[in-house]
Amino acid sequence: MKLSQFKFKLPEEKIALHPTKYRDESRLMVLHRKTGEIEHKEFKDVLNYFDDKDVFIFNDTKVFPARLYGNKEKTGARIEVFLLRELNEELRLWDVLVDPARKIRIGNKLYFGDDDSMVAEVIDNTTSRGRTLRFLYDGPHDEFKKALYALGETPLPHSIINRPVEAEDSERFQSIFARNEGAVTAPTASLHFSRELMKRLEIKGIDFAYITLHAGLGNFRDIDVEDLTKHKTDSEQMIVNEEAVGIVNRAKDLNRQVCAVGTTVMRAIESTVSTDGHLKAYEGWTNKFIFPPYDFTVANAMISNFHMPLSTLLMIVAAFGGYDQVMEAYNVALKEGYRFGTYGDAMLITDK
């Protein structure tokens, strides 16, 4: 398929700048994959489409406060530093992006905090905006991380949510079951699940499996090739443990619904499948890029937000729901006033 096939006009006012007051009260479009029928619901109604022994697969990655603002030594120029991942605990080495990058060279020192209490030295260039920083901090690693994170802010994707970070973002840009730290963006489909809804699903007999995929900035990177077979995605770290494998494979053997909550989950589970269609345990990295046509092996239902035009996330959804059906559903969503993006509304794609 071609990149241009995923282009559509998205008016700015359709992009959600804030979440709904309650997590489970965003809107939910239900797309029935076999018939193309569309229903309009509230997110908490998702309960009505699943039964005893069905499974939801969640991504339990935890977002850390990855965006920092510092000053360059001598000039005092303001620099944005986006933490990507820690490379070496002992040496306090971090892989980061800097902006404006042209001003930041190897050997430069950056100062953070009102009192310049945190200092970092640029020791390497990695990509055009990428740098390796060494933080000059004496003290235990836990203390260092705490001090570093205290300087950071919630890493809202400014390309989508174009506003300053607010206090509520630290809670709402995080799922209620987030526990394994390492993501720089939230797995957005999971943001709709409230404690009350999780309890009601549990009472109905629905099982939960948790995998971890540390969502990175690759989710927002522009694709610069028209031929999608030539696009390479960034690698992201993932863990699928034996417990999740057991829960998912049991549901598959019982011919139950297996619902992937979000594109990160779908990519993770499709990255570790055995030849007989079962999920396998895996710990490592994935750079799997899914676009139509694609045969899915593990999940037979999917929940996802309404994504940006030309995004890899839209491509995964279109591959699962059928290109024509999903693009038509997006047309309907625009007409019906659904909210798009990270804090937007959700879509359930199901065969039921």
Side-chain angles (χ1 to χ4, degrees), residues 244-254 277-280 298:
V245 166
I247 293 166
V248 172
N249 289 343
R250 187 163 59 247
K252 282 186 72 68
D253 292 341
L254 292 171
H278 282 72
L279 195 59
K280 291 187 303 189
V298 183

Side-chain angles (χ1 to χ4, degrees), residues 55 78-79 86 88 105 234 240:
V55 168
R78 189 174 192 245
I79 306 293
E86 190 168 36
N88 185 305
R105 299 190 172 89
D234 295 359
V240 176

Side-chain angles (χ1 to χ4, degrees), residues 1 79 111 115 130 199 249 258 278 289:
M1 289 202 91
I79 306 293
Y111 293 87
D115 54 357
K199 195 74 199 158
N249 289 343
V258 175
H278 282 72
F289 173 40

Side-chain angles (χ1 to χ4, degrees), residues 161-203:
I161 303 173
N162 189 14
R163 63 161 172 83
V165 171
E166 295 167 13
E168 73 160 358
D169 292 315
S170 61
E171 183 204 343
R172 294 301 299 272
F173 195 63
Q174 194 86 271
S175 71
I176 60 166
F177 39 75
R179 59 173 176 250
N180 290 319
E181 186 182 277
V184 296
T185 188
T188 54
S190 63
L191 301 182
H192 301 284
F193 287 84
S194 64
R195 283 178 175 78
E196 295 77 14
L197 179 57
M198 296 289 278
K199 195 74 199 158
R200 288 169 67 208
L201 289 165
E202 213 176 297
I203 290 165

Side-chain angles (χ1 to χ4, degrees), residues 282-333:
Y282 175 76
E283 184 166 350
W285 296 77
T286 181
N287 63 350
K288 193 164 191 67
F289 173 40
I290 297 172
F291 60 94
Y294 183 88
D295 289 328
F296 290 84
T297 321
V298 183
N300 50 17
M302 178 184 193
I303 294 170
S304 193
N305 277 29
F306 288 94
H307 298 295
M308 299 293 110
L310 306 174
S311 66
T312 59
L313 312 180
L314 169 58
M315 291 166 193
I316 297 174
V317 176
F320 187 77
Y323 172 79
D324 291 332
Q325 289 190 157
V326 166
M327 296 311 280
E328 175 53 28
Y330 269 52
N331 270 333
V332 171

